Amino acid sequence: MQEQTPIGPVDATRVPRYAGPATFARLPRLDEVSRADVAVLGVPFDSGVSYRPGARFGPGHVRAGSKLLRPYNPALDATPFGTQQVADAGDVGVNPFDLGEAIETIDREVTALRADGTQLLTIGGDHTIALPILRSLARDHGPVAVLHFDAHLDTWDTYFGAPYTHGTPFRRASEEGLIDMERSLHMGIRGPLYSKQDLEDDAVLGFQVIRSDDYEVDGVRSIVERMTRRLAGGPVYVSVDIDVLDPAHAPGTGTPEAGGLTSRELLNTLRGLVGLDVVGADIVEVSPPYDHAELTGIAAAHVGYELLSVLALNRAGA
């Protein structure tokens, strides 16, 4: 059977970039294609936040910031929309009042979308959504390595007695056996902690830490080498909290911390994932009420573009 040519974004020479569909990168909707290799799924949910809300508006904001994305990625010599079918799956309808039900809904919807082999790039939403996604992935892959870009560890136990928040998903995931404890990695960690015990607890849960300051001392190339050594040998899930970027590059987020990565450092690091077994990814914590000039939405859209390029190259290599 002859493979169908992927349907790509709307032609920007015929429809101006400020017009056309409000999908990621102006791609077709999932119901407009026979099937997708990768689906971009929005999860407009922020009931797990501990400080500034607004990430429920993140998916639409990131889609708006993606209108300038073009079909060819020269940094990776990749055509992420030409060698795989990428489609926008719309948003999950998540209960904003019942966090437990929301987690179950996300798990169910993600599992249904993945049933035919479609990979997901999920746009949040707050970081709570990573837990149900990992539950879904682990049923097929077993424990996966988590590559976690964030200013924060997100392995705290509870907040105000609540076990499920945007600061706890990776502790719960580790306790549930969803994470490969020999291969998982935090990237870009910085800022004050409650105590030194936070780091000690985190190590027990299976993570190594590359700090934001390490980028300044060691450089991106060295960081990528350390990252690929840690992740090699099995499936990898990539979770990008946009607050891994310095607030100068991503002001529109709920818990900003000074001293973060530049957008250039983050994009170059993500390109180092080519050749690894990336089985899914998310971009979370984009909060448009605190964004100006679409800085954060644009940065998040480019993060998504690099991740889609990595998936395209990995698929071609496979």
Side-chain angles (χ1 to χ4, degrees), residues 51-77:
Y51 193 49
R52 303 194 305 201
R56 65 182 60 185
F57 302 110
H61 192 63
V62 175
R63 288 182 176 111
S66 72
K67 286 181 177 290
L68 272 174
L69 296 175
R70 298 177 179 89
Y72 176 64
N73 184 340
L76 285 175
D77 188 22

Side-chain angles (χ1 to χ4, degrees), residues 12-61:
T13 66
R14 300 178 64 87
V15 180
R17 295 190 182 280
Y18 47 79
T23 57
F24 186 85
R26 307 202 307 169
L27 287 159
R29 300 190 315 269
L30 186 57
D31 61 4
E32 295 176 315
V33 299
S34 57
R35 71 169 300 276
D37 297 302
V38 186
V40 180
L41 177 67
V43 184
F45 170 83
D46 63 5
S47 299
V49 300
S50 58
Y51 193 49
R52 303 194 305 201
R56 65 182 60 185
F57 302 110
H61 192 63

Side-chain angles (χ1 to χ4, degrees), residues 68-94:
L68 272 174
L69 296 175
R70 298 177 179 89
Y72 176 64
N73 184 340
L76 285 175
D77 188 22
T79 53
F81 312 133
T83 55
Q84 60 186 356
Q85 181 63 66
V86 186
D88 193 313
D91 291 343
V92 177
V94 182

